[in-house]
Amino acid sequence: MNATVPAPRSAPGPGTGLGGVAGRIRAVADRARADGTDTSVLDLLADDLDTGGVTLAGADLVVAYPPEVLLPDARPKRWPAVEGWLGVLRDVLVFVPIALTWWRLQDALDAYDDQKSTDPFLLGWARGFPKGDPAEPTTVTLGTSAVHVTLLVVLVVALTIGLHVLQTIREKQLSREEDRGRLATDLALATFLLAAPAARPAGRPLDNGSADRLAAQLLASTVNLESALRRTSEEIVTVLETGPGSRIQTALDGWTQSVDELTGLVRSLLPPNELARELIRVRELTAREGEQLRSTLDALVTDLRRVQETTGQEIHRHDLAVAAVRELAQRLGDSLLVFTQRADNLVDSTRSMWQIVDRLELLNGHRRNADPPHGGR
C-alpha cells in the first residue's frame, strides 16, 4: 500500500506546533521534578504530542489533564518545624503582658498594705515602696513595669510580622501558579492543533505492516467505544425506562448505529482515500447524532424542571389549604368555648330564677296560713 501518514499539526509562528508545545511541557516537568513532584503524566503528554498526538486527538486537554492536579505547589523542605514553633511562641507571648501586669500589681498592693502609707497608691508604686535602713524600694516601680510590658508587646508584634513575611516568602517560593498558567495555555493550544483540519505535509511512506497495526488499533478503539456506548445506553434506559427517556433511547440507538458503521468500516480496511472519505462521513454522522442526543437531554431536563415547578405549586396550595383549615378549626374552638361559657351562665341564671320562684311560693304560703287582721281585708 502506497500511502502516507499525516505529519504533526503546526500553527504559524515559531514554537507554536505540537513539537514546541511538547518541549515547553518537558521544561515545566523538569522544573517540577527537581522539587520532588511526580511528573510521569506530563512526560507521557509530551511524548505523545511529539509523535503527533494520536491518542489525544478529540479530547479537551485542559479539562482531561487539569494543570492544578498535574502541577501542584511544591512541598516545603526547610524550616517547617521552626516556623511552627515560632507561631506557638507568638501565641503564648500574647498572654504574657497581661499576666506580668497583674503579677506586678498584686506585688505592689501587698507592699502598699504592709507599709500603711497615706500616699496615693499609684504615687507610691511610681516611687517604689521603701523599706529597710537605708530605705530601698521593695517592688518594681510602675515605670519599669510599663517598660517591661511594652517590650513584650513589641516582641509579639515583631514575631507576628516576621511570621507573616516568612509565610509570604515561602508561599511565593513554593507556588507554581505561573507554570500552571503556561501549562494551561499550552494544553489549550495543543487541543486546538489536534482538532484543526490544517494542511499537512506528506510524512513517511505507509507500508503494509504499519497499515495492519493502524487498522488493529482503530479496530480495538472502535470496539471499546462501541461497548462503552452500549453499556451507557443500557444504564440510561434502565434508569429512565418510562416517560421522556424513550427519546434518549432513540438518540442513543442512532449514535450506536453510527459507531457500528465505523466498526464495520475499519474491519473492511478500505483503501486510504475511500477510508478517509468514509471516516469523514461517519464522523459527521456521529456529530449529528451527538447534537440530537444533546437536544434530547436538554428537553428532558426542561420537562423535569417543569414537573418540579408544578409539584412545588401543588405543595404550596396544599399548605395554604391546611393553614386555612387549621385557622377555621381554631375559630370553631373559640366559638364553642364562648358558647359553653354562655350556656353555663344561662344554667346559673335559671337556677337563681328557680330559687327565687321557690322563695316566692314559700312566702305566699305563709301569708295564706296567717290570720287576717280584724276590721280589714
Side-chain angles (χ1 to χ4, degrees):
M1 299 177 60
N2 294 325
T4 57
V5 295
R9 296 172 176 86
S10 61
T16 55
L18 292 178
V21 174
R24 289 192 293 273
I25 292 178
R26 281 199 180 92
V28 171
D30 293 338
R31 289 195 297 270
R33 194 181 300 111
D35 295 332
T37 304
D38 184 11
T39 60
S40 56
V41 179
L42 291 175
D43 295 334
L44 293 175
L45 282 173
D47 294 339
D48 194 88
L49 290 176
D50 264 342
T51 57
V54 177
T55 60
L56 300 177
D60 188 351
L61 301 183
V62 181
V63 177
Y65 304 97
E68 58 271 11
V69 176
L70 299 182
L71 203 62
D73 291 337
R75 293 186 294 271
K77 296 182 179 179
R78 296 180 300 177
W79 312 112
V82 174
E83 183 179 348
W85 283 111
L86 286 177
V88 173
L89 179 62
R90 186 270 314 273
D91 296 339
V92 172
L93 286 178
V94 170
F95 302 97
V96 172
I98 301 174
L100 179 62
T101 301
W102 284 102
W103 178 51
R104 295 284 174 81
L105 179 61
Q106 187 268 341
D107 192 16
L109 287 173
D110 291 341
Y112 181 74
D113 186 59
D114 293 339
Q115 190 182 12
K116 307 296 183 182
S117 175
T118 58
D119 295 334
F121 169 71
L122 292 178
L123 180 60
W125 191 9
R127 296 173 180 174
F129 297 101
K131 191 174 183 180
D133 190 15
E136 294 180 357
T138 59
T139 58
V140 180
T141 62
L142 178 61
T144 305
S145 299
V147 171
H148 292 169
V149 172
T150 303
L151 291 177
L152 287 173
V153 172
V154 171
L155 179 59
V156 171
V157 173
L159 279 175
T160 303
I161 295 175
L163 284 173
H164 179 71
V165 172
L166 184 61
Q167 291 175 357
T168 303
I169 294 175
R170 177 175 57 82
E171 291 177 357
K172 186 176 181 180
Q173 290 177 349
L174 300 179
S175 177
R176 293 200 181 108
E177 188 65 29
E178 295 182 0
D179 289 339
R180 282 195 290 267
R182 288 192 291 267
L183 178 60
T185 302
D186 290 334
L187 291 177
L189 178 60
T191 303
F192 172 76
L193 294 177
L194 290 173
R200 308 170 184 86
R204 61 183 180 82
L206 179 66
D207 54 4
N208 292 331
S210 299
D212 292 339
R213 288 193 299 272
L214 179 60
Q217 293 176 359
L218 290 174
L219 179 60
S221 300
T222 51
V223 169
N224 292 333
L225 177 61
E226 179 185 5
S227 61
L229 289 175
R230 289 187 183 278
R231 286 196 303 270
T232 305
S233 176
E234 293 174 358
E235 292 175 357
I236 294 178
V237 171
T238 303
V239 175
L240 302 174
E241 188 173 1
T242 60
S246 59
R247 292 178 293 175
I248 297 179
Q249 177 63 34
T250 303
L252 289 176
D253 289 340
W255 196 4
T256 305
Q257 182 179 1
S258 301
V259 176
D260 291 338
E261 294 181 3
L262 178 62
T263 304
L265 177 63
V266 175
R267 286 176 177 172
S268 61
L269 196 60
L270 299 175
N273 54 352
E274 297 180 8
L275 177 62
R277 287 195 298 270
E278 290 295 329
L279 285 175
I280 293 173
R281 186 183 66 82
V282 174
R283 180 182 179 87
E284 293 176 352
L285 181 60
T286 305
R288 288 196 299 270
E289 296 294 340
E291 292 295 334
Q292 294 178 1
L293 175 61
R294 187 179 297 107
S295 61
T296 304
L297 289 175
D298 292 339
L300 174 61
V301 172
T302 303
D303 293 339
L304 291 177
R305 289 178 178 174
R306 187 182 300 110
V307 171
Q308 184 179 6
E309 293 176 357
T310 304
T311 306
Q313 294 176 358
E314 293 297 332
I315 292 174
H316 180 66
R317 292 174 183 174
H318 176 71
D319 292 340
L320 293 178
V322 170
V325 171
R326 187 182 296 111
E327 184 180 359
L328 180 60
Q330 182 67 30
R331 293 180 179 178
L332 180 60
D334 296 338
S335 301
L336 289 176
L337 181 60
V338 173
F339 175 76
T340 303
Q341 293 176 354
R342 293 182 178 179
D344 292 339
N345 295 333
L346 179 62
V347 171
D348 294 339
S349 301
T350 304
R351 287 178 180 176
S352 300
M353 291 177 64
W354 278 110
Q355 291 176 358
I356 294 172
V357 171
D358 291 338
R359 290 179 181 178
L360 290 175
E361 290 180 352
L362 182 60
L363 182 59
N364 190 19
H366 285 304
R367 289 181 178 179
R368 289 178 181 176
N369 294 329
D371 293 333
H374 296 284
R377 289 183 302 177

